[in-house]
Amino acid sequence: MRVLCAFPEAMPSSNSRPPACLAPVALFLALLLHLSLSSQAGDRRPLPVDRAPGLKEKTLILLDVSTKNPVRTVNENFLSLQLDPSIIHDGWLDFLSSKRLVTLARGLSPAFLRFGGKRTDFLQFQNLRNPAKSRGGPGPDYYLKNYEDDIVRSDVALDKQKGCKIAQHPDVMLELQREKAAQMHLVLLKEQFSNTYSNLILTARSLDKLYNFADCSGLHLIFALNALRRNPNNSWNSSSALSLLKYSASKKYNISWELGNEPNNYRTMHGRAVNGSQLGKDYIQLKSLLQPIRIYSRASLYGPNIGRPRKNVIALLDGFMKVAGSTVDAVTWQHCYIDGRVVKVMDFLKTRLLDTLSDQIRKIQKVVNTYTPGKKIWLEGVVTTSAGGTNNLSDSYAAGFLWLNTLGMLANQGIDVVIRHSFFDHGYNHLVDQNFNPLPDYWLSLLYKRLIGPKVLAVHVAGLQRKPRPGRVIRDKLRIYAHCTNHHNHNYVRGSITLFIINLHRSRKKIKLAGTLRDKLVHQYLLQPYGQEGLKSKTQRWQYSEIL
């Protein structure tokens, strides 16, 4: 018997298993097809999954999909991942060789792995051979001595193996690391809130570990170089970057490159602003460094990694595109939905919040198309909440509504790649927690990877029309997206279609497939929160059914 999806270890709870594949021509992925939104923020009672009392099933919705021509085609690596350089500071980089982490990352391949974030521009490369002698950090003497010596010994053992370097770290070592990461997380948050950042040292061995993780996981590494090292005339000082490039080339590491992270914040973070024109010249300088290095002469270059497109940020992007728009292979920007210090559970279900991204996409596209029409655009470092996220919220089932809608909206509007911040680290915005357990957004991402192909299809819906009232904006609480099914999924024949639906209504919605989809075999994946926490659940159950 063939199974529809071969998941990696740590499966979520499920009530049923898929039967043998029956070569369907359409399949159906729904994120909580019906949901009661009547609970108040902070209510920890389980939310009902059956029809809530007093809520009636409303309009029958007719759904069809245009299959003649895709409206968009996105990158094969559309859903990609990010690791923040803070993993050097809090020690998690030393554990990227974990068999469990590598297995979970492989489940989301093929994808890009961007190594970048707020501490990108405080990262300095040093070709040191013994990181244990140079690494500092908080903690008692016994902790640093035993813990770091064990890591070095395990690395020596890994160096003797062939192929991927995979490790099984003892539980006691992982427990010590979690204690260290918790201490360092407080230090990193203090730096972030005060805008005073300490430098990070990336050693040759640390770079080896990072590349080993990406290579073993089937991910293509994108490395963001420090752009805040400046000469007296404010031009980019490339000395540290050149040392890193030469070392990477000597190891024949296949890497793509970026320069800097959110340059619009440099004045706040460093007291020195860099305008778009100067940043464009810096990218041209980086391109000139790459070209003489044989392995990187044709390496991809991405940027400028700007923040939310407010007026000053758009001006920076405009200046950059004018000077270096043709230099980059894709234009990149970042987005955060909610301030992590004030988030509430119901925020994740607000249609107004879900729609904030759409206007930003149009602003970015307008500038890019002015200078380089057709240039690829990527959303890098997308995160649901800022400030490291919020426990029991941004790492819970509730955050999946924003994440899945983000994927659907970006593909529909022609964004080529979206990079999720972050795959793994200490905090609450990630796909995998510090116990190496996948969170709800991981399983959403895994299903997306297995089922969704790069070709985006037009959706036709009837039965949702409502008459607008004066002064009232009608926002769609039923989000429907359609793609050709991933052709790498051999459980489905070519020509299969994947639909995914997000229902934010307070009532159930009856959906009838019409037109092209009428009388087709449907495989339905229904995702719901699991356990007593309702929307705040850290796990979810999925139900599978066939509909003839």
Side-chain angles (χ1 to χ4, degrees):
M1 176 180 291
R2 288 194 297 168
V3 178
L4 292 181
C5 293
F7 294 89
E9 58 181 327
M11 282 285 295
S13 300
S14 64
N15 292 342
S16 60
R17 288 281 187 175
C21 176
L22 299 177
V25 268
L27 63 95
F28 193 77
L29 169 64
L31 176 65
L32 192 55
L33 204 57
H34 52 94
L35 168 70
S36 170
L37 304 183
S38 58
S39 297
Q40 297 297 316
D43 187 355
R44 301 181 69 85
R45 294 174 299 171
L47 295 179
V49 295
D50 294 322
R51 183 172 57 184
L55 296 180
K56 298 180 180 180
E57 294 186 6
K58 296 185 179 180
T59 311
L60 174 67
I61 298 163
L62 300 178
L63 174 61
D64 191 14
V65 172
S66 176
T67 59
K68 292 185 178 180
N69 293 300
V71 294
R72 299 275 190 273
T73 301
V74 297
N75 199 295
E76 289 277 355
N77 293 0
F78 175 73
L79 195 170
S80 288
L81 309 171
Q82 179 169 323
L83 284 174
D84 194 281
S86 61
I87 65 172
I88 299 172
H89 218 322
D90 63 25
W92 281 120
L93 186 142
D94 293 312
F95 293 85
L96 290 182
S97 57
S98 162
K99 180 179 180 181
R100 190 172 176 87
L101 278 183
V102 171
T103 299
L104 291 169
R106 281 175 179 169
L108 302 180
S109 66
F112 297 107
L113 177 68
R114 179 181 186 251
F115 186 68
K118 280 189 174 295
R119 287 161 182 82
T120 286
D121 295 299
F122 301 91
L123 194 63
Q124 299 185 27
F125 178 73
Q126 292 184 10
N127 193 354
L128 302 175
R129 303 312 305 174
N130 190 349
K133 293 181 179 179
S134 62
R135 185 194 292 116
D141 291 341
Y142 84 90
Y143 174 81
L144 290 174
K145 181 179 185 300
N146 296 333
Y147 167 74
E148 298 194 6
D149 285 352
D150 282 346
I151 288 177
V152 171
R153 282 197 294 270
S154 67
D155 287 341
V156 171
L158 290 175
D159 288 341
K160 296 178 181 179
Q161 298 178 12
K162 294 182 179 180
C164 289
K165 300 179 177 69
I166 306 297
Q168 294 279 15
H169 300 289
D171 290 341
V172 63
M173 187 185 292
L174 291 171
E175 184 59 34
L176 288 171
Q177 167 55 26
R178 281 190 282 269
E179 293 177 9
K180 177 183 178 182
Q183 295 174 34
M184 290 307 304
H185 184 61
L186 296 177
V187 174
L188 296 173
L189 284 178
K190 184 177 180 180
E191 288 186 354
Q192 184 172 329
F193 289 136
S194 63
N195 276 315
T196 54
Y197 296 89
S198 57
N199 287 331
L200 290 177
I201 303 299
L202 177 72
T203 65
R205 184 173 289 279
S206 294
L207 182 59
D208 294 342
K209 293 175 183 177
L210 176 65
Y211 189 82
N212 174 71
F213 171 73
D215 191 44
C216 291
S217 304
L219 310 175
H220 177 76
L221 182 61
I222 301 173
F223 194 100
L225 297 164
N226 184 342
L228 266 181
R229 288 176 60 89
R230 295 274 146 185
N231 296 314
N233 64 354
N234 210 28
S235 63
W236 178 48
N237 185 326
S238 61
S239 57
S240 178
L242 185 58
S243 177
L244 191 153
L245 290 172
K246 289 181 177 179
Y247 176 79
S248 300
S250 71
K251 303 286 283 191
K252 297 183 179 179
Y253 288 159
N254 180 20
I255 303 177
S256 296
W257 304 95
E258 295 181 339
L259 181 59
N261 185 79
E262 289 194 276
N264 46 288
N265 287 335
Y266 285 172
R267 182 181 294 278
T268 303
M269 296 172 63
H270 195 261
R272 172 180 286 183
V274 178
N275 61 34
S277 177
Q278 179 59 57
L279 191 64
K281 295 175 183 177
D282 299 336
Y283 265 79
I284 293 173
Q285 181 181 348
L286 174 56
K287 191 76 171 180
S288 68
L289 290 180
L290 294 172
Q291 286 177 342
I293 302 174
R294 183 175 181 180
I295 191 172
Y296 298 132
S297 61
R298 297 184 180 180
S300 295
L301 184 60
Y302 305 108
N305 315 300
I306 56 173
R308 293 185 65 176
R310 298 182 176 92
K311 185 176 180 180
N312 64 315
V313 180
I314 288 296
L316 188 150
L317 178 61
D318 188 89
F320 174 84
M321 294 301 298
K322 188 181 299 183
V323 173
S326 60
T327 303
V328 293
D329 293 272
V331 176
T332 59
W333 101 101
Q334 301 183 25
H335 175 71
C336 177
Y337 280 100
I338 311 174
D339 187 332
R341 292 166 289 183
V342 297
V343 69
K344 297 180 296 185
V345 66
M346 301 309 291
D347 288 340
F348 292 99
L349 310 177
K350 293 179 178 178
T351 54
R352 187 180 300 273
L353 179 68
L354 268 64
D355 291 339
T356 56
L357 188 57
S358 184
D359 184 53
Q360 294 190 26
I361 294 171
R362 287 190 291 269
K363 289 179 180 179
I364 297 292
Q365 287 174 333
K366 181 179 180 181
V367 177
V368 172
N369 290 331
T370 298
Y371 295 99
T372 54
K375 176 74 69 176
K376 301 294 185 182
I377 301 175
W378 291 11
L379 177 58
E380 288 188 339
V382 63
V383 64
T384 54
T385 57
S386 62
T390 305
N391 190 20
N392 291 326
L393 289 175
S394 52
D395 55 351
S396 72
Y397 176 85
F401 291 87
L402 270 180
W403 178 225
L404 195 59
N405 185 71
T406 297
L407 293 170
M409 180 181 292
L410 291 171
N412 223 35
Q413 294 189 227
I415 301 304
D416 194 48
V417 169
V418 54
I419 297 181
R420 170 64 185 250
H421 184 291
S422 171
F423 172 69
F424 166 78
D425 199 359
H426 186 89
Y428 309 106
N429 269 325
H430 313 304
L431 300 181
V432 179
D433 68 18
Q434 61 177 338
N435 294 310
F436 300 169
N437 291 323
L439 293 165
D441 276 6
Y442 175 87
W443 297 113
L444 278 180
S445 303
L446 183 64
L447 272 177
Y448 190 96
K449 277 286 188 178
R450 295 296 175 88
L451 300 176
I452 306 293
K455 294 182 179 180
V456 185
L457 304 176
V459 174
H460 305 290
V461 178
L464 284 178
Q465 291 79 9
R466 292 179 292 169
K467 293 182 180 180
R469 301 174 187 173
R472 182 183 178 189
V473 177
I474 298 297
R475 297 184 183 274
D476 189 7
K477 290 190 175 184
L478 192 69
R479 308 295 172 100
I480 305 175
Y481 302 101
H483 288 244
C484 291
T485 301
N486 188 343
H487 62 270
H488 294 298
N489 189 330
H490 301 301
N491 295 299
Y492 293 98
V493 298
R494 286 186 179 269
S496 298
I497 295 170
T498 297
L499 293 151
F500 60 99
I501 301 176
I502 308 167
N503 184 19
L504 299 171
H505 285 280
R506 295 183 60 186
S507 61
R508 299 170 66 182
K509 293 296 174 184
K510 296 179 66 176
I511 297 176
K512 181 177 181 180
L513 302 184
T516 306
L517 305 180
R518 182 178 299 161
D519 300 325
K520 303 301 182 185
L521 173 63
V522 174
H523 288 172
Q524 175 175 281
Y525 297 79
L526 179 63
L527 304 179
Q528 298 173 308
Y530 181 77
Q532 300 299 313
E533 297 296 314
L535 286 173
K536 294 184 179 181
S537 174
K538 299 291 182 64
T539 59
Q540 60 193 2
R541 65 183 178 187
W542 61 279
Q543 295 177 338
Y544 172 87
S545 61
E546 280 188 357
I547 305 173
L548 295 175

